[in-house]
Amino acid sequence: MSSIRRVVVTGLGAITPIGSTVPAYWEGLKNGVSGAAPITRFPAAKFKTRFACEVKDYNPDTYFDRKEGRKMDLFTQFAVIAADEAIADAGLLEGVDKDRVGVIWGSGIGGLRSLQEECFQFERGDGTPRYSPFFIPRMIADSSSGNISIKNGFRGPNFVTTSACASSNDALIAAFNNIRLGLADAIVTGGSEAAITESGVGGFNALKAMSERNDDPASASRPYDKDRDGFVLGEGAGALVLEEYEHAKARGAKMYAEVIGGGMSSDAYHITAPDPSGSGVVLVMQNALRDAGIKPEDVDYINTHGTSTPLGDGAEIKAIETVFGAHATALNISSTKSMTGHLLGGAGGIEAVACIFAMQNSLVPPTINLHTPDPEINQALNFTPNVAQAREVNIAMSNTFGFGGHNTSVIFRKLDH
Amino acid sequence: MSEIAEKVKAIIIDKLGVEASEVTPEASFTNDLGADSLDTVELIMEFEKEFNVSIPDDQAENIQTVGQAVSYLEEHAK
């Protein structure tokens, strides 16, 4: 192996429930805007949860010609839109060897809407199979990375990572490793999800995982609050262009931050419940710190998984206390899912963008809806409640965990630090 | 234009995202209207659905142009 190569972030993209571009998303984050509202994607009157964080005023015709858009599930449309923004931001279409540019994307579920619609249609018919030839390519999760590469001619490593809500971070770590190992010079990474469908909402309701606060959607995602009752389903995509440092420097690319470490672990405990001891989460943060070669005290900000579920939030915070010791109370901690809802496999993508903008702007986005702190959670920690806090952020950590017990943690460093 | 021809034209415009003026009888789905192999399969399926016919694969292979589709369907539509 060649000597370890450094990896920097040279482009960002986002389409989220609180803003459909990176600048709009950041405006929403710093102002503490909630993206939750009644569901418009399907008639939800009979569902236990009738609200979600949808991408607002979304019209595929704004982004795709009709024929092109029709061939992509919504989660792939979001992927292509966010990737396009990141690729343009990085100036990655000119003056690079596209055989050395890859796409490693994350999606926990893939084309749930396409699967569901096709099955509904078959069920309504007379038993004659009339499946669309676009059904399988719309549904499979890797259609996201496939479409991004086809549109842009990127012929390097190309695949999708699936680890539920940890999928984006696994994609980021895979991209980081591929570049470090010299297998690519740049990789478009991140993740997307679009599961606000009958089967998505019905399925998560059956798991008792989602908030049912239908009378007040905007306050439903309330991580670390005593009255939290589950996550709020979100949709959208976050994209990053990761690039080898010398490659980026040689072409004069703007560099947002450096990726310095990635950690992965598994709870090996239960298929949906988090291990209440938090030991898998302790392990993942230790793995990430070790990979980055930094001490816990070097970290300024943690963008937590913090989904607003009764069990998960507390376990993660306990783990942070274990890993960071006395420094835990000096950290800024926030769950931006309080604003965006939970993008599942897309969460790590948009949360990486949040971490990088926190560094760029020396401003930590808040955990909104934190009005009645949970006495079971150590409130000596700074959860950045309700209002963004000015703070110089040199090193930020982004945690995501997924059903199946997958834990991931990525660490970013400010470039001039 | 026959009612069948009108419907065929509408399906092609919808599925291939082309302009009405491009959908001439001689127009080939793949060479003139930008269809790939999957688009062609989808068109045949839509014809089957709309006209309640079943088009065997060996006959579908001979439907390459707008005019060929109209002729086939005028002959076989129920």
Side-chain angles (χ1 to χ4, degrees):
Chain A
M1 194 178 91
S2 54
S3 63
I4 285 286
R5 294 155 34 111
R6 293 173 66 189
V7 179
V8 292
V9 180
T10 58
L12 298 173
I15 177 163
T16 80
I18 60 169
S20 297
T21 61
V22 167
Y25 169 47
W26 176 245
E27 274 301 303
L29 284 179
K30 74 179 187 193
N31 294 314
V33 172
S34 165
I39 288 173
T40 66
R41 299 232 179 274
F42 66 91
K46 291 189 175 171
F47 285 71
K48 280 187 191 158
T49 298
R50 299 183 289 280
F51 63 97
C53 286
E54 296 178 349
V55 170
K56 305 295 179 293
D57 305 317
Y58 180 70
N59 180 356
D61 297 343
T62 311
Y63 301 95
F64 304 98
D65 83 47
R66 219 174 46 81
K67 183 184 165 200
E68 186 191 14
R70 221 166 40 80
K71 294 179 181 179
M72 297 177 198
D73 188 272
L74 186 59
F75 93 100
T76 296
Q77 294 180 6
F78 288 154
V80 171
I81 292 164
D84 275 352
E85 187 182 12
I87 291 162
D89 188 30
L92 202 60
L93 291 177
E94 300 299 328
V96 300
D97 176 0
K98 291 184 177 182
D99 291 359
R100 298 276 303 163
V101 180
V103 183
I104 302 179
W105 199 253
S107 177
I109 299 183
L112 186 61
R113 175 185 301 268
S114 298
L115 173 63
Q116 184 193 284
E117 281 174 0
E118 208 71 19
C119 294
F120 284 176
Q121 194 173 310
F122 178 72
E123 192 58 30
R124 280 194 299 264
D126 63 1
T128 309
R130 295 198 191 281
Y131 288 90
S132 162
F134 300 110
F135 161 47
I136 299 290
R138 267 201 308 256
M139 176 195 68
I140 51 180
D142 51 293
S143 64
S144 49
S145 66
N147 271 291
I148 294 167
S149 69
I150 291 164
K151 182 165 184 182
N152 298 290
F154 298 147
R155 303 204 304 170
N158 190 297
F159 57 90
V160 157
T161 54
T162 293
S163 45
C165 308
S167 301
S168 279
N169 265 5
D170 270 318
L172 268 155
I173 293 168
F176 175 47
N177 286 335
N178 269 268
I179 297 172
R180 277 201 284 193
L181 287 166
L183 304 176
D185 292 330
I187 292 181
V188 180
T189 186
S192 62
E193 209 79 82
I196 304 175
T197 67
E198 289 88 334
S199 46
V201 173
F204 282 116
N205 267 154
L207 286 170
K208 310 249 180 240
M210 274 198 305
S211 169
E212 297 176 15
R213 197 178 297 277
N214 293 299
D215 59 346
D216 188 11
S219 82
S221 185
R222 49 172 76 192
Y224 317 118
D225 188 274
K226 182 171 74 67
D227 301 320
R228 67 190 184 278
D229 71 331
F231 76 81
V232 176
L233 189 55
E235 64 177 6
L240 298 90
V241 173
L242 301 193
E243 189 167 348
E244 192 270 321
Y245 174 79
E246 295 296 339
H247 187 269
K249 195 172 146 191
R251 67 182 190 92
K254 138 189 85 195
M255 302 184 205
Y256 284 102
E258 181 172 3
V259 184
I260 58 170
M264 297 173 278
S265 78
S266 178
D267 276 1
Y269 175 76
H270 185 273
I271 198 65
T272 58
D275 180 348
S277 79
S279 66
V281 178
V282 167
L283 185 61
V284 77
M285 289 188 283
Q286 288 171 339
N287 288 345
L289 290 166
R290 187 182 317 111
D291 188 42
I294 61 170
K295 298 188 293 294
E297 305 80 74
D298 296 329
V299 176
D300 299 296
Y301 168 49
I302 302 179
N303 186 302
T304 54
H305 185 56
T307 57
S308 185
T309 57
L311 286 176
D313 288 9
E316 182 180 12
I317 296 307
K318 252 195 262 173
I320 289 173
E321 293 182 80
T322 304
V323 172
F324 289 86
H327 183 65
T329 53
L331 292 162
N332 264 89
I333 292 169
S334 71
S335 168
T336 46
K337 290 186 182 80
S338 58
M339 296 174 273
T340 62
H342 189 359
L343 267 66
L344 310 176
I350 64 165
E351 287 159 23
V353 175
C355 286
I356 289 164
F357 265 71
M359 287 179 180
Q360 295 269 309
N361 293 279
S362 298
L363 187 73
V364 175
T367 306
I368 66 166
N369 298 320
L370 181 44
H371 299 295
T372 314
D374 181 351
E376 303 284 311
I377 294 176
N378 183 353
Q379 296 289 337
L381 275 63
N382 180 1
F383 294 103
T384 322
N386 304 311
V387 181
Q389 288 179 12
R391 168 159 189 168
E392 196 179 340
V393 178
N394 291 311
I395 294 187
M397 172 184 265
S398 176
N399 288 344
T400 64
F401 317 132
F403 282 170
H406 323 287
N407 306 307
T408 54
S409 184
V410 179
I411 302 177
F412 301 94
R413 178 165 61 195
K414 212 181 207 174
L415 229 81
D416 48 15
H417 182 61
Chain B
M1 202 184 287
S2 71
E3 195 189 331
I4 286 180
E6 290 286 357
K7 280 185 183 166
V8 166
K9 190 171 175 177
I11 288 171
I12 293 169
I13 292 168
D14 177 50
K15 293 299 173 191
L16 300 184
V18 291
E19 298 296 327
S21 60
E22 298 174 74
V23 188
T24 59
E26 307 75 42
S28 151
F29 301 138
T30 49
N31 297 332
D32 302 315
L33 301 178
D36 64 16
S37 56
L38 298 184
D39 293 315
T40 312
V41 174
E42 190 186 38
L43 276 182
I44 297 293
M45 278 187 39
E46 287 300 318
F47 296 150
E48 289 182 327
K49 247 192 277 187
E50 179 67 33
F51 299 103
N52 192 26
V53 293
S54 176
I55 307 177
D57 285 353
D58 57 341
Q59 300 193 29
E61 281 165 22
N62 297 324
I63 302 176
Q64 308 263 356
T65 67
V66 178
Q68 286 165 353
V70 172
S71 314
Y72 182 90
L73 292 164
E74 282 178 340
E75 199 175 320
H76 295 89
K78 289 161 194 165

